[in-house]
């Protein structure tokens, strides 16, 4: 135990070693904290001083660099201005020199132009005299050229006639286009629920030209028509008859399951049978008609109106079929149709092969004709080129006097 005197009250008190050590520790910790705070403040002051010094140094350096850059830019700008002024002076001198050169050149060209104009007038007079002298000399050659042109025109007429005779497909397409335009004029008003398009289905080996179909609001078919268009150009030497196309048209109607077949034709233009109106040829093939192009819309309207009257019975028939009534009779007809179709298909296939062989032979003959025509055209073209290449200079090539005149020209 030790005696300790309090510095405030001056009283003595006893403290053992453990208490003394605790008091001593408190005193040391307090002194350490005071010392640490003083050192931290000192360090903070030194940091702020260093920052201010660095900022002042950097600012001074930047101001020096900026002054150098300003001086360099001023020097460079002065040099550029001097260079621009020098270039402008050169451009002004060049412009003045150019104007002087242009004035001299224009004067020189005008002088040459006047001289050349006088020479041209003299040459034109000489040329007129020379042409009048040579016209009689070339009369025979011009006659020959006219004869060649006449032969060429005859050949062109022959080839045009041949092309007309060979272009039956193109002629037919013109009638198809006419009928399609006439129908489209009324499609939006009279045939809103109708289908009228080209027949492009060749699965059965053949096809018609157009198919017309119309259904009611419930999807029941009102009418279906297979159309075939046949046209004939004026002056065609190979004449066709309408009845030559009945069989094929009836075949197309059956294969595409159309109710009616209509042949729109301009063939046999002098036949009064086809010129009087709509011709019913059902005595040869069922539900088939032949018309002129002007009856195209009327035949559709007539057949459509007739079908509209029987639409009620067709709807009842469709209802009966949907209820599986009279299936036996239907199957018998279907089997008969399949057998007949197979037999007709076999015959058509054989005829088709024979037709293909005939077409191949015809193509070979046409190729021979084409080769002969091309050879004739080539000879005519060469003759025409020679005639067109006939000039005064070439005809006077062997005449030294005339050659000298043209050399001067």
């Amino acid at each position: 135990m030790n005696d300790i005197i309090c510095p405030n009250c001056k009283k003595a008190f006893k403290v053992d070693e453990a208490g003394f050590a605790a008091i001593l520790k408190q005193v040391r910790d307090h002194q350490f904290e005071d010392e640490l705070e003083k050192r931290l403040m000192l360090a903070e002051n030194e940091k702020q001083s260093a920052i201010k010094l660095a900022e002042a140094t950097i600012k001074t350096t930047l101001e020096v660099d900026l002054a150098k850059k300003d001086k360099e830019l001023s020097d460079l700008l002065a040099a550029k201005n001097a260079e621009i002024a020098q270039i402008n002076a050169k451009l002004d001198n060049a412009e003045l020199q150019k104007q002087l050169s242009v004035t001299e050149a224009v004067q020189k060209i005008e002088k040459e132009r006047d001289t050349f104009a006088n020479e041209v007038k003299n040459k034109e007079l000489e040329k007129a005299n020379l042409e009048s002298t040579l016209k009689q000399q070339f009369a025979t050659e011009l006659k020959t050229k006219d004869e060649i042109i006449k032969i060429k025109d005859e050949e062109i007429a022959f080839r045009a006639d041949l092309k007309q005779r060979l272009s039956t497909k193109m002629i037919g397409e013109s009638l198809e286009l006419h009928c399609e335009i006439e129908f489209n004029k009324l499609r939006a008003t009279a045939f809103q629920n109708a289908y009228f398009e080209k027949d492009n289905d060749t699965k059965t080996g053949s096809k018609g030209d157009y198919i017309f179909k119309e259904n009611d609001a419930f999807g029941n078919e009102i009418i279906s028509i297979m159309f075939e268009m046949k046209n004939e150009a004026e002056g065609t030497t190979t004449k066709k008859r309408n009845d030559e196309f009945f069989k094929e048209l009836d075949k197309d109607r059956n294969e595409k399951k159309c109710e009616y077949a209509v042949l729109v034709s301009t063939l046999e233009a002098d036949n009064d049978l086809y010129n009087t109106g709509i011709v019913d040829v059902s005595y040869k093939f069922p539900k088939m008609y032949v018309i002129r192009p002007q009856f195209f819309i009327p035949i559709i309207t007539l057949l459509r109106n007739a079908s509209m009257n029987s639409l009620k019975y067709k709807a009842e028939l469709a209802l009966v079929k949907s209820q599986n009534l009279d299936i036996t009779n239907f199957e018998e007809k279907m089997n008969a149709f399949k057998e007949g179709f197979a037999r007709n298909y076999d015959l058509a296939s054989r005829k088709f092969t024979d037709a293909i062989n005939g077409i191949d032979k015809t193509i070979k003959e046409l190729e021979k004709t084409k080769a002969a025509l091309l050879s004739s055209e080539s000879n005519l073209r060469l003759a025409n080129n020679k005639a067109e290449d006939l000039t005064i200079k070439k005809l006077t090539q062997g005449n030294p006097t005339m050659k000298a005149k043209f050399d001067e020209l």
Side-chain angles (χ1 to χ4, degrees):
M1 299 294 288
N2 296 318
D3 293 333
I4 301 296
I5 298 173
C6 178
N8 294 323
C9 63
K10 305 299 183 180
K11 290 182 179 181
F13 60 90
K14 292 186 180 292
V15 178
D16 59 6
E17 291 181 359
F20 182 80
I23 293 171
L24 183 62
K25 183 178 181 300
Q26 289 179 6
V27 173
R28 286 179 178 175
D29 289 343
H30 183 69
Q31 290 177 351
F32 177 76
E33 289 177 358
D34 291 341
E35 184 68 23
L36 179 61
E37 185 176 355
K38 290 178 181 180
R39 287 179 179 262
L40 288 173
M41 291 178 63
L42 182 60
E44 181 66 24
N45 293 333
E46 290 178 354
K47 184 182 75 172
Q48 294 296 331
S49 299
I51 290 172
K52 290 180 179 179
L53 180 61
E55 288 178 351
T57 304
I58 292 171
K59 182 177 180 181
T60 304
T61 304
L62 290 176
E63 288 177 352
V64 173
D65 292 342
L66 184 60
K68 289 182 180 179
K69 293 295 183 182
D70 289 341
K71 187 176 182 304
E72 291 177 359
L73 288 174
S74 298
D75 295 340
L76 182 61
L77 183 60
K80 290 295 182 181
N81 289 334
E83 186 177 355
I84 291 171
Q86 186 178 1
I87 291 172
N88 288 333
K90 290 182 179 179
L91 289 175
D92 292 339
N93 294 332
E95 183 67 22
L96 181 59
Q97 186 66 29
K98 183 180 72 174
Q99 291 178 357
L100 293 175
S101 300
V102 168
T103 303
E104 293 177 358
V106 168
Q107 292 176 353
K108 183 178 180 181
I109 290 172
E110 288 177 349
K111 183 178 179 181
E112 292 178 353
R113 181 197 61 189
D114 296 338
T115 304
F116 183 72
N118 294 328
E119 292 179 355
V120 167
K121 288 181 179 179
N122 296 331
K123 297 299 182 182
E124 287 179 351
L125 292 175
E126 294 179 1
K127 179 182 177 182
N129 295 331
L130 183 60
E131 286 180 353
S132 62
T133 304
L134 294 175
K135 279 182 180 179
Q136 294 179 353
Q137 182 179 350
F138 301 139
T140 305
E141 286 80 359
L142 290 176
K143 282 186 179 181
T144 304
K145 181 178 179 181
D146 292 336
E147 292 176 358
I148 293 173
I149 293 173
K150 181 180 178 181
I151 295 172
K152 184 177 180 180
D153 292 337
E154 292 175 354
E155 182 68 20
I156 291 172
F158 170 76
R159 294 190 59 173
D161 179 68
L162 178 63
K163 180 179 179 182
Q164 191 178 39
R165 281 184 283 140
L166 295 178
S167 300
T168 56
K169 184 177 184 299
M170 181 189 68
I171 295 169
E173 288 178 349
S174 65
L175 179 57
E176 293 176 8
L177 182 61
H178 165 76
C179 294
E180 186 173 355
I181 292 173
E182 292 298 315
F183 181 84
N184 287 332
K185 289 179 180 178
L186 301 174
R187 184 191 290 268
T189 55
F191 305 106
Q192 296 180 358
N193 299 322
Y195 167 92
F196 181 74
E197 300 292 342
K198 287 185 70 67
D199 180 16
N200 296 319
D201 184 8
T202 58
K203 294 179 181 178
T204 58
S206 64
K207 65 183 183 66
D209 287 334
Y210 281 83
I211 294 178
F212 172 87
K213 289 185 178 181
E214 185 173 8
N215 298 332
D216 63 7
F218 303 98
N220 299 318
E221 183 177 290
I222 300 174
I223 186 174
S224 59
I225 307 173
M226 170 64 71
F227 281 98
E228 184 75 17
M229 285 74 170
K230 294 298 177 184
N231 199 359
E232 189 174 74
E234 296 180 0
T236 303
T237 57
T238 304
K239 299 292 183 179
K240 294 285 188 179
R241 299 196 319 274
N242 289 315
D243 56 7
E244 295 177 12
F245 303 96
F246 291 170
K247 184 177 181 181
E248 185 67 19
L249 177 56
D250 183 70
K251 177 174 175 289
D252 293 335
R253 179 185 72 85
N254 291 323
E255 289 178 349
K256 302 302 167 62
K257 296 180 176 57
C258 292
E259 184 178 1
Y260 296 94
V262 175
L263 176 64
V264 184
S265 170
T266 61
L267 306 180
E268 299 183 72
D270 298 329
N271 193 330
D272 291 335
L273 173 64
Y274 300 110
N275 292 333
T276 55
I278 298 174
V279 180
D280 184 358
V281 292
S282 299
Y283 60 91
K284 290 187 176 181
F285 294 93
K287 295 187 175 183
M288 182 177 292
Y289 301 88
V290 181
I291 62 170
R292 294 304 187 195
Q294 60 267 28
F295 296 102
F296 172 68
I297 296 298
I299 188 67
I300 295 178
T301 305
L302 290 173
L303 296 178
R304 179 194 185 196
N305 292 338
S307 298
M308 289 291 290
N309 295 330
S310 63
L311 183 61
K312 178 180 177 181
Y313 304 103
K314 288 184 178 179
E316 293 178 356
L317 179 61
L319 178 62
V320 170
K321 288 183 178 180
S322 66
Q323 295 175 349
N324 296 322
L325 298 179
D326 197 14
I327 296 177
T328 303
N329 186 33
F330 176 77
E331 289 182 349
E332 289 177 357
K333 291 182 179 180
M334 178 63 72
N335 292 331
F337 171 76
K338 289 181 178 179
E339 291 175 0
F341 179 80
R343 183 171 57 257
N344 291 336
Y345 178 80
D346 183 58
L347 293 174
S349 178
R350 296 177 187 175
K351 295 292 184 181
F352 183 76
T353 303
D354 295 339
I356 290 295
N357 294 333
I359 290 172
D360 291 337
K361 294 179 181 179
T362 304
I363 288 174
K364 291 180 180 179
E365 294 297 328
L366 289 175
E367 286 178 348
K368 292 180 181 179
T369 305
K370 178 182 177 182
L373 290 174
L374 290 175
S375 175
S376 175
E377 181 186 17
S378 177
N379 291 327
L380 286 171
R381 178 175 51 80
L382 293 174
N384 184 55
N385 290 340
K386 290 179 180 180
E388 292 179 351
D389 201 29
L390 187 65
T391 61
I392 295 175
K393 289 186 179 181
K394 287 190 176 182
L395 291 173
T396 58
Q397 188 173 3
N399 192 328
T401 303
M402 295 300 174
K403 186 175 183 301
K405 293 288 186 181
F406 279 102
D407 289 338
E408 291 177 2
L409 288 173

